[in-house]
Amino acid sequence: MIKVFCIGMFKTGTTSMGKAFEVLGYNTLNGPWWPKGIMINDPFYERSDLWPIYYESIKKVILKYDAFQDYPWMFLFKEIREWYPDSKIILTIRDPNELALSDIAMLKRLKIPEKNIPKKDKFIKRYICHRNNVLDFFKSDKDFLKFNIFAGDGWDKLCNFLKKDKPTLNFPNLNKSL
């Protein structure tokens, strides 16, 4: 089975996409997943130089599953394309302001002290930078799909891209906070 990676930023519908993969029969690794059971010490995920020492562990995990979503896949999209050139890549997207508000609400629910939560603009900048980098990298890639659950993308678009039969269930809408 061809590997499928959802590389959308946090709060863009990645949990829903993971459930959709499962419904379609993919053995799915729903994130977050951390190399060697630890989270890379990078509170706002800005240090791509920390990843290379974990590449071999990451490659071993990829062998065990067909589909992936959440952390760390969003930060490894260039490596994934190199390692799995025939894989299907899906970028989940969302309105940047809504994403930031949802991220902040999630961190508050997790009891992160407000003084430790970045300002909304930082979430927006991170998201826009990630989205733009991904769109630029995959601009002429036939195995890349931009997917907006919040704007109504669902089974038709996903199943057409993955060449799968459309389920009769409603498209998953999980982990909503805003």
Side-chain angles (χ1 to χ4, degrees):
M1 184 176 283
I2 290 177
K3 306 266 185 211
V4 180
F5 295 88
C6 175
I7 59 168
M9 186 55 68
F10 306 110
K11 309 313 289 175
T12 60
T14 57
T15 303
S16 297
M17 187 61 72
K19 183 63 177 174
F21 292 155
E22 291 174 358
V23 169
L24 293 174
Y26 290 94
N27 180 20
T28 304
L29 177 56
N30 291 296
W33 175 83
W34 297 281
K36 298 186 182 191
I38 61 155
M39 186 171 201
I40 288 179
N41 187 16
D42 185 16
F44 210 67
Y45 313 101
E46 298 169 309
R47 301 270 324 274
S48 59
D49 60 310
L50 297 174
W51 287 100
I53 62 171
Y54 296 106
Y55 283 175
E56 291 309 311
S57 295
I58 291 167
K59 288 178 184 179
K60 286 178 185 173
V61 168
I62 291 173
L63 290 174
K64 298 176 185 177
Y65 297 90
D66 304 314
F68 308 81
Q69 62 85 9
D70 208 319
Y71 180 89
W73 320 111
M74 65 189 75
F75 300 113
L76 299 170
F77 62 90
K78 292 177 183 176
E79 292 85 350
I80 288 166
R81 178 46 83 224
E82 180 183 328
W83 300 337
Y84 291 91
D86 296 330
S87 62
K88 298 285 191 177
I89 308 291
I90 301 169
L91 174 67
T92 46
I93 62 170
R94 182 178 191 178
D95 173 80
N97 189 62
E98 290 176 10
L99 173 135
L101 294 173
S102 184
D103 245 329
I104 291 167
M106 177 189 66
L107 293 174
K108 287 179 178 178
R109 276 194 319 279
L110 293 173
K111 307 275 191 251
I112 304 296
E114 195 140 345
K115 66 182 172 85
N116 295 341
I117 298 175
K119 300 290 182 212
K120 182 172 80 166
D121 287 349
K122 187 159 184 172
F123 289 100
I124 290 171
K125 286 178 186 174
R126 174 182 70 177
Y127 167 70
I128 290 172
C129 180
H130 175 72
R131 183 188 66 197
N132 290 345
N133 287 338
V134 169
L135 291 173
D136 184 57
F137 185 79
F138 289 103
K139 66 182 165 227
S140 59
D141 192 316
K142 67 177 178 45
D143 291 319
F144 171 77
L145 178 69
K146 186 169 69 168
F147 197 87
N148 189 338
I149 294 169
F150 303 89
D153 288 346
W155 289 125
D156 289 335
K157 187 172 184 176
L158 182 62
C159 292
N160 184 51
F161 177 67
L162 297 175
K163 309 232 182 318
K164 294 279 195 174
D165 292 333
K166 180 181 167 184
T168 56
L169 305 164
N170 289 334
F171 195 85
N173 190 0
L174 307 173
N175 201 23
K176 291 189 334 183
S177 61
L178 289 176

